[in-house]
């Protein structure tokens, strides 16, 4: 028995060093196994993500029009209201409305423009 009546440990220095080395070796080997498992799991996940990204890219190339957001256009001749142009010509207003429609993906006759005003440049 290692313990004595005064709770001290009587162990030869060689045995103490051997147990310490065994404990450190055990901890380091377990950490190495955990590191290898993490590497393995990360490679598996990267492979799955790459496969999913490849399938998503193939679908996007196959149907580019379906990926763009699209609204339902109103019947021909119907609109959302009146437009007031302030210091702006009709061509400039048409370009602005077309850009907003294109960037938002909403059909032009579904958008409601109340006024378009030309701002003065302050220098």
């Amino acid at each position: 028995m290692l313990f004595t009546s005064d709770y001290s440990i009587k162990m030869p220095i060689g045995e103490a060093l051997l147990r310490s080395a065994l404990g450190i070796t055990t901890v380091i080997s377990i950490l190495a196994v955990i590191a290898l498992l993490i590497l393995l799991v990360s490679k598996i996940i990267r492979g799955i993500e790459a496969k999913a990204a490849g399938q998503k890219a193939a679908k996007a190339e196959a149907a580019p029009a379906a990926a763009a957001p699209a609204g339902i256009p109103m019947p021909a001749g119907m609109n959302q209201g009146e437009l007031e142009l302030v210091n702006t010509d009709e061509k400039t207003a048409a370009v602005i409305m077309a850009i907003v429609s294109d960037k938002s993906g909403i059909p032009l006759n579904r958008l409601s423009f109340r006024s378009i005003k030309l701002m003065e440049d302050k220098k």
Side-chain angles (χ1 to χ4, degrees):
M1 186 136 173
L2 295 174
F3 295 103
T4 62
S5 60
D6 63 349
Y7 298 106
S8 63
I9 300 175
K10 292 193 176 192
M11 182 185 305
I13 190 75
E15 187 179 347
L17 289 175
L18 181 65
R19 286 187 182 202
S20 297
L22 183 62
I24 290 172
T25 305
T26 303
V27 169
I28 289 176
S29 62
I30 290 173
L31 288 175
V33 168
I34 291 172
L36 290 174
L37 286 174
I38 289 172
L39 286 173
L40 179 67
V41 169
S42 68
K43 286 188 181 211
I44 291 170
I45 290 174
R46 275 191 235 131
I48 292 170
E49 287 177 349
K51 185 177 178 182
Q55 290 174 350
K56 192 173 187 179
K59 286 181 182 178
E61 289 175 3
I72 301 170
M74 295 179 83
M78 292 183 70
N79 60 29
Q80 290 288 336
E82 298 295 320
L83 173 63
E84 178 186 358
L85 298 179
V86 181
N87 296 331
T88 307
D89 61 337
E90 289 184 4
K91 284 184 178 181
T92 304
V95 169
I96 291 170
M97 291 187 297
I99 291 171
V100 169
S101 174
D102 182 57
K103 294 293 181 182
S104 67
I106 302 171
L108 191 57
N109 64 350
R110 284 284 182 183
L111 291 172
S112 177
F113 293 92
R114 294 202 170 85
S115 69
I116 297 177
K117 180 178 180 182
L118 179 65
M119 304 297 291
E120 299 284 329
D121 286 335
K122 293 184 180 182
K123 293 182 182 180

